[in-house]
Amino acid sequence: MSHVKLVESPPNMLADYKGETIDFICEDCEILKRIKPAALMEEHGNLSMPSLPALVAKSLGCKRTESTVYNRCKMHYHFSPDEWAKRMGYVNPQEHRKDALLFSDLREWHRLYAHCSCGRKSEIDAVKLKKALGEDAPVSGASSVLRCRKCGLKGLANIVVTSLARG
């Protein structure tokens, strides 16, 4: 009989993280850092997620990580306002607003534009997004799949719907 014991990975580890990047912020030091999980794994190994902000702050040269009482390091994870509201329970992600514009509401004279926070604005193909997300998806949800070609940010674009001028 084999005496093999299955060992489960502790919860909330870096290797379990499924996102594209991990964002850190420290308002006191004015640091906003976006790091890929693979780079963190290479530098620090498979650590628990709660221990990462302090290690990232220390690697960025923060002297406050050495203090345990006064003037402590306040580096923490950064989330978009929508993600923060979902995590805090203010927004139910399953619940759609009743007045939300759906892809099924769009007509051939409507045009969609993505406005990124970096200043880039571009027209986006409503037909492709409708096929990818579905007719009953809200148009505002398209920002979650769009990535800016200028700055590389994903999920933060504002979607603007316009109509062609009557001719």
Side-chain angles (χ1 to χ4, degrees):
M1 184 162 138
S2 176
H3 294 293
V4 176
K5 184 178 180 183
L6 292 176
V7 178
E8 291 185 14
S9 170
N12 212 8
M13 298 298 287
L14 179 58
D16 300 329
Y17 186 76
K18 304 291 186 220
E20 292 183 18
T21 60
I22 301 174
D23 299 337
F24 299 93
I25 188 167
C26 179
E27 290 90 357
D28 292 346
C29 299
E30 296 180 354
I31 295 174
L32 178 61
K33 191 74 172 170
R34 173 169 281 159
I35 306 173
K36 295 188 183 248
L40 287 170
M41 285 283 289
E42 187 176 304
E43 185 176 346
H44 301 290
N46 188 22
L47 296 174
S48 67
M49 293 296 282
S51 66
L52 279 177
L55 289 172
V56 169
K58 194 170 192 171
S59 70
L60 293 173
C62 180
K63 303 292 184 208
R64 295 178 177 189
T65 56
E66 298 161 7
S67 177
T68 57
V69 181
Y70 298 107
N71 201 19
R72 293 184 348 195
C73 178
K74 295 180 182 152
M75 173 89 57
H76 58 88
Y77 292 107
H78 181 260
F79 303 108
S80 68
D82 293 336
E83 180 67 21
W84 181 84
K86 287 177 192 175
R87 287 175 181 260
M88 297 303 289
Y90 294 118
V91 177
N92 182 355
Q94 308 302 328
E95 196 175 280
H96 294 291
R97 288 188 0 212
K98 291 182 177 94
D99 59 344
L101 182 67
L102 305 178
F103 279 103
S104 59
D105 299 331
L106 295 179
R107 301 294 174 245
E108 60 273 359
W109 57 82
H110 287 120
R111 297 292 178 257
L112 296 182
Y113 293 90
H115 293 217
C116 184
S117 58
C118 72
R120 186 172 194 277
K121 299 174 185 176
S122 63
E123 186 172 0
I124 52 179
D125 190 351
V127 176
K128 284 184 181 177
L129 282 173
K130 185 177 182 178
K131 285 181 183 177
L133 299 173
E135 284 191 5
D136 295 331
V139 173
S140 61
S143 66
S144 65
V145 298
L146 298 175
R147 180 181 303 280
C148 180
R149 290 183 182 160
K150 181 178 176 184
C151 68
L153 288 176
K154 181 178 180 180
L156 298 178
N158 290 324
I159 307 298
V160 177
V161 180
T162 63
S163 296
L164 290 175
R166 291 184 180 190

